[in-house]
Amino acid sequence: MSTAILTGPPVPGSPLEGDLRSLGFQVRTAADPRETAALLAAVPAGERVAVVDPRFVGHQHALRLALTDPRFPAGAAPGALTAQPEARPALSGALAALPDGPAEDDPLPDALAAALEADGVTVYRPELGSLVAAVPVGPQARKETRDAVAAVDDEAVRLRSAVKSRDGFFTTFFISPYSRYLARWCARRGLTPNQVTTASLLTALVAAGCAATGTRGGFVAAGLLLLFSFVLDCTDGQLARYSLQYSTLGAWLDATFDRAKEYAYYAGLALGAARGGDDVWALALGAMVLQTCRHVVDFSFNEANHDATGNTSPTAALSDRLDSVGWTVWLRRMIVLPIGERWAMIAVLTAVTTPRVVFYALIAGCAFAACYTTAGRVLRSLTRKARRTDRAARALADLADSGALAEAAAKALRPVARPLGGRTPYAVVGAAALLAAACAAPLDGPLVVLAAVLYVVASGAAVARPLKGALDWLVPPVLRAAEYVTVLVLAARADAPGALPAAFGLVAAVAYHHYDTVYRIRGGTGAPPAWLVRTLGGQEGRTLLVAVLAALLATGGGDGFTLALTALAGAVALVGLAESIRFWVSSGAPAVHDEGEPA
């Protein structure tokens, strides 16, 4: 239970106390700052506390935004301040420094908020928009403020703000107009975002099971269920914003379940196709590889540039001008095939065509989107004069997922591996040599293994120096593509039944580890621990191991290669998932909720 302390006698007729109680606060009244400090000291140290001027007039949702958001140690609106346990000592110190209180017309919460900021505490001040939050002085000002409150529908604003501010065309116009009301329905029945997220996952898994039946009725049911799963996927985020129910566990679920649902559905389609005599596992794995590499391009570019200085270019200026024309905004959001458009296309094609057609369309659409976005980002990088920070270079190195072998190579090559316009050429040359050998060299010969060894050396050279070159953000996606495509090609060429499904499982397990790395970095906690990366072999170690396994086991028609890939997938999934769960349910995990571009 949280506690709100009113810093003076209640104002007759004010709904403030009722609003605070409905937000979960116990309300206490203090006559002056000294009594406020005493009441603050009596609140258990592990509880949230709020200090509110009793003259406050405003919308209840303005108080909710300022006083109940769990993501920030302190929050404030005019006349109201809240502090979570980590900010409580600073609040007590600020109160002690105001023994006589602020000026009569200066609300105590505002003075305390300024003192907290002066003490280095980040005080979150939500954008209220049309919502009202004020401390009027005098009857006339109070009446005018109440009239302003009455003129704005608090609930309508709350519903609008529950929808992500930047989303895709399909989501904005075909899902959010009604999913926000579903989010409110869930909130009024006490459902949590995590429960809705879990329901979305279960629905998608049932959809994958329907697709795996291989029947037309199963495909139709799968398409409908996939769309409903997406509705629930939108609803969980809207419910979190509507009721401000953000959590570390919710961050983990939200960050990973979308990929788990989509890739499980790919597997269901491949199983369904196999029941009809059509082997599309290579297409399913190719779609997963392409989609994951697209995301790595997004993550790497954003991490490289979000805190860069001098970060302008003619290409970026052109993009801004295009965004000033309404229809181009939606067109550009659609052609990158975000999750809403992508899932809608998959669902419709599943219902009316075959899994092979679904994967052909998906791969074509994702390939076009990848070329469009990557080309634009390359042009921006070449035309801008950005200076990247050490933090950005560290993030790119973490995204590279270098293991012990690449680190050893980097240490050995650091004195001699000179930048060739950046570090990307090393990664590109190593990846090209590896993929050429994987595609053309005999699997039972030494060339694939030798190319994998060369790739290990090239991977070390790519990360031997800080990744601060104009195009060095391409190093992580190039390494991702090299690892994933190598597994795909070697499994497709292997004379081993079931190798492609096993490869699908391995790439899915490794991709989860890479997504986990991304969301840890986004949360400001850094990459996974070094022991985990080394235990999983690093991207270069896994690639070399798969090449060796292919040379030893992929020919002869036996199951050895399939069993080896399956065992490797299980080991990566077990170790990576266990550490991920430990981290995301820990108290130190960030409450990361994606409000940016749709994935």
Side-chain angles (χ1 to χ4, degrees):
M1 192 67 158
S2 303
T3 299
I5 302 171
L6 296 181
T7 59
V11 175
S14 171
L16 178 59
E17 287 192 51
D19 288 344
L20 290 170
R21 289 193 177 95
S22 69
L23 295 177
F25 288 95
Q26 299 181 75
V27 179
R28 301 287 184 266
T29 300
D32 53 40
R34 193 181 304 276
E35 189 174 346
T36 300
L39 289 175
L40 175 64
V43 177
E47 293 184 4
R48 174 193 290 271
V49 68
V51 179
V52 184
D53 192 300
R55 299 169 295 174
F56 175 90
V57 176
H59 289 99
Q60 185 187 62
H61 191 50
L63 286 173
R64 180 182 290 106
L65 292 172
L67 302 183
T68 68
D69 197 318
R71 297 172 295 174
F72 308 100
L81 170 71
T82 186
Q84 296 216 68
E86 58 267 37
R88 289 274 302 276
L91 178 58
S92 298
L95 269 171
L98 293 172
D100 299 324
E104 181 178 354
D105 292 343
D106 186 14
L108 177 59
D110 293 0
L112 293 175
L116 287 180
E117 290 177 319
D119 196 32
V121 177
T122 300
V123 179
Y124 171 64
R125 300 177 186 273
E127 295 184 9
L128 299 179
S130 59
L131 296 175
V132 176
V135 182
V137 177
Q140 182 60 31
R142 189 170 185 83
K143 178 183 180 304
E144 292 174 354
T145 307
R146 284 176 171 172
D147 291 342
V149 171
V152 176
D153 187 341
D154 177 270
E155 181 61 19
V157 172
R158 188 181 178 191
L159 274 174
R160 285 198 303 271
S161 62
V163 177
K164 187 185 292 188
S165 59
R166 184 178 178 87
D167 223 327
F169 178 86
F170 179 78
T171 304
T172 299
F173 293 103
F174 292 91
I175 304 296
S176 293
Y178 58 87
S179 62
R180 70 183 74 180
Y181 296 100
L182 179 58
R184 180 172 66 180
W185 182 90
C186 292
R188 291 177 175 177
R189 282 151 184 81
L191 297 176
T192 67
N194 292 349
Q195 291 170 332
V196 178
T197 301
T198 303
S200 176
L201 174 66
L202 294 176
T203 303
L205 293 179
V206 173
C210 291
T213 64
T215 64
R216 178 52 52 195
F219 288 148
V220 172
L224 292 174
L225 287 170
L226 186 65
L227 286 177
F228 182 59
S229 174
F230 182 65
V231 171
L232 293 176
D233 181 60
C234 296
T235 301
D236 65 359
Q238 291 166 359
L239 175 58
R241 288 183 285 273
Y242 181 84
S243 55
L244 299 185
Q245 295 184 75
Y246 300 106
S247 68
T248 54
L249 178 60
W252 174 58
L253 297 177
D254 185 62
T256 58
F257 274 18
D258 280 352
R259 303 289 82 76
K261 289 180 286 190
E262 186 167 358
Y263 298 161
Y265 192 83
Y266 293 176
L269 284 174
L271 288 170
R275 286 180 178 272
D278 190 11
D279 186 354
V280 297
W281 276 106
L283 294 176
L285 181 50
M288 180 167 66
V289 168
L290 182 56
Q291 186 58 34
T292 304
C293 289
R294 280 185 63 202
H295 285 145
V296 177
V297 168
D298 296 340
F299 299 145
S300 295
F301 181 80
N302 291 334
E303 286 300 323
N305 291 286
H306 88 276
D307 58 355
T309 58
N311 199 13
T312 59
S313 76
T315 309
L318 175 61
S319 177
D320 292 339
R321 285 197 297 272
L322 288 175
D323 280 344
S324 66
V325 182
W327 66 270
T328 66
V329 174
W330 295 116
L331 178 62
R332 295 172 72 205
R333 291 188 192 179
M334 290 173 65
I335 62 177
V336 299
L337 208 64
I339 186 170
E341 279 75 0
R342 191 168 67 250
W343 283 27
M345 181 186 73
I346 294 170
V348 171
L349 291 179
T350 298
V352 301
T353 64
T354 66
R356 181 172 290 273
V357 172
V358 173
F359 286 124
Y360 281 153
L362 181 61
I363 290 173
C366 288
F368 176 80
C371 292
Y372 169 77
T373 55
T374 304
R377 287 165 179 173
V378 167
L379 286 174
R380 288 190 185 195
S381 300
L382 292 175
T383 57
R384 68 179 18 143
K385 303 298 182 182
R387 293 181 295 277
R388 295 195 171 91
T389 63
D390 292 338
R391 190 217 64 81
R394 180 68 258 171
L396 292 178
D398 291 336
L399 288 172
D401 192 33
S402 300
L405 294 177
E407 289 177 352
K411 184 176 181 180
L413 294 171
R414 193 166 291 126
V416 296
R418 301 301 178 191
L420 303 174
R423 296 289 161 182
T424 305
Y426 290 109
V428 171
V429 169
L434 173 63
L435 295 177
C439 291
L443 295 186
D444 55 356
L447 289 181
V448 175
V449 175
L450 290 176
V453 172
L454 174 62
Y455 173 73
V456 170
V457 176
S459 297
V463 297
R465 296 285 182 180
L467 298 175
K468 293 187 175 182
L471 295 177
D472 281 355
W473 56 270
L474 284 170
V475 169
V478 168
L479 299 180
R480 286 300 75 71
E483 179 182 5
Y484 297 162
V485 177
T486 297
V487 175
L488 166 60
V489 171
L490 293 180
R493 294 186 63 201
D495 185 19
L500 278 168
F504 186 96
L506 174 59
V507 173
V510 174
Y512 176 84
H513 164 62
H514 289 145
Y515 280 113
D516 184 54
T517 300
V518 164
Y519 282 100
R520 292 192 195 213
I521 294 173
R522 278 188 171 184
T525 59
W531 71 261
L532 176 65
V533 177
R534 294 193 181 99
T535 300
L536 297 181
Q539 56 84 22
E540 80 292 345
R542 290 187 300 269
T543 304
L544 177 60
L545 177 58
V546 172
V548 171
L549 291 174
L552 296 175
L553 304 171
T555 57
D559 293 333
F561 188 52
T562 299
L563 292 175
L565 290 180
T566 302
L568 182 58
V572 171
L574 179 63
V575 176
L577 188 60
E579 162 57 21
S580 177
I581 292 173
R582 182 210 63 78
F583 171 77
W584 286 104
V585 301
S586 71
S587 59
V592 179
H593 290 267
D594 186 12
E595 299 295 332
E597 296 286 351

